[in-house]
Structures are given as structure tokens and as C-alpha cells.
């Protein structure tokens, strides 16, 4: 099912029951926020003296925290409807940056960090690499806590639980990794699937039956 490349803006439609910012209202259209961003607070449960700060660390922003969201770990979507798919054209070198911008827009629009799963096909996200340096158990404990954006490599993404939004960064890797990432992402996305990468490559994989 070929997709027409769109500008890197997130347009989300409500599909089936999911968490909304408030009863009877939908989240505002995400738009870039001008000016400097506030400093991110430490990750929950990460005392400063114990570990060095992880690279590209992400935590809840004040605007996101003020929005009501699902309590506790993310759970599989309670609907069988296919998620909306958003394509953001990007080169392999720029796919991860495009994914980060998409996540920023999602959080600015009212999504909580625990709503978002990011899957990479090439080099792992710096946050994932940092957390994995403390061991596999500690890394997946962050996933189970469900209170922050979680980054996973395509090879292990099938262990991740469903979240409202899944973002895929096609930042390199073999064709099999792209197919795995898109297949897993499509099955884990409750409302929205965002894919950052080469449109032809994405369409070839999606057209193969994802």
C-alpha cells in the first residue's frame, strides 16, 4: 500500500479506545515549539551518584506531565483496528534525528513518554546503548516500568509490549531488519505508526504485506 511522503508533522486520528488528554477532547495538532527547551529532569529512579547521565536522556516534560494519561505500564491496545501510518522521508543517516523530532512533537502535543516506543534498524539509540551497558535485566526493567520513551533494536523489539505510538527509524541495517521492525511496529502500535526512512524502501516492505 504505497504511501505519499508527507511533511514531518504528526497528524493523529483517534482509532478505537485509547488514552486521550481529557474526556471528550482530542490532543491538539503537534507543532514545533520555538525557543530553548527546559532542562530534562533525571530519569525516575536513577540517583545521580550511582550512574553517569545517559546520552540523549529523555524524561517527562511539564507540559506532558500535566496531561492525564494511562497509569502504570503500557498495555496492549484494546482494539483490532489498524493504526494510522505516518511516513517521514529521511536518509539512513538522518532517520534517527527525524524519529527524535517526531517524539518531541508527540510529547509537546500531550502524549506521555510511556505512550511511545522507538525501534531502530541500524545503530542503537544512545539511550538504549547506555542502559544495556548495565545489563539486559536493567534495560528491560525500564521497559516494564512504562514511564518513559523506550528505545529498542529491531532484533529485540518483539519483546516490547504494545504502546499507543510506535516510531520506526530506518537508520541502516540489512533489509531483513527493516522488514522485522515494520512488522513488529505495526503489531505493537495501538493508534499511530510513524516510519522515518526512505519512502521507496518503506513502501516496498509495507507493500509486501506488513
Amino acid at each position: 500500500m504505497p504511501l505519499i511522503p508527507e511533511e514531518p508533522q504528526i497528524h493523529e486520528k483517534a482509532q478505537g479506545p485509547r488514552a486521550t488528554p481529557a474526556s471528550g477532547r482530542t490532543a491538539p495538532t503537534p507543532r514545533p515549539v520555538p525557543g530553548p527547551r527546559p532542562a530534562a529532569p533525571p530519569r525516575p529512579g536513577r540517583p545521580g551518584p550511582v550512574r553517569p547521565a545517559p546520552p540523549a536522556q529523555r524524561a517527562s516534560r511539564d507540559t506532558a506531565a500535566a496531561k492525564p494519561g494511562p497509569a502504570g505500564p503500557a498495555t496492549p491496545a484494546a482494539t483490532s483496528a489498524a493504526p494510522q501510518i505516518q511516513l517521514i522521508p529521511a536518509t539512513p543517516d538522518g532517520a534517527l534525528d527525524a524519529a527524535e523530532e517526531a517524539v518531541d512533537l508527540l510529547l509537546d502535543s500531550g502524549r506521555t513518554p510511556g505512550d511511545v516506543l522507538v525501534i531502530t534498524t541500524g545503530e542503537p539509540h544512545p539511550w538504549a546503548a547506555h542502559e544495556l551497558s548495565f545489563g539486559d535485566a536493567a534495560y528491560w526493567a525500564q521497559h516494564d516500568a512504562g514511564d518513559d520513551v523506550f528505545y529498542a533494536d529491531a532484533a529485540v523489539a518483539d519483546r516490547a509490549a504494545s504502546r499507543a505510538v510506535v516510531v520506526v527509524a530506518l537508520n541502516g541495517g540489512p533489509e531483513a531488519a527493516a522488514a522485522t521492525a515494520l512488522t513488529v511496529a505495526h503489531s505493537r502500535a495501538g493508534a499511530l505508526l510513524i516510519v522515518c526512512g526512505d519512502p521507496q524502501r518503506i513502501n516496498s516492505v509495507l507493500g509486501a504485506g506488513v
Side-chain angles (χ1 to χ4, degrees), residues 90-105:
T91 64
D93 289 339
L96 195 55
D97 287 339
E100 285 289 271
E101 291 177 6
V103 172
D104 286 342
L105 288 173

Side-chain angles (χ1 to χ4, degrees), residues 118-134:
V118 180
I119 300 175
T120 57
T121 61
E123 289 294 320
H125 188 278
W127 180 89
H130 175 84
E131 291 300 320
L132 282 168
S133 70
F134 298 104

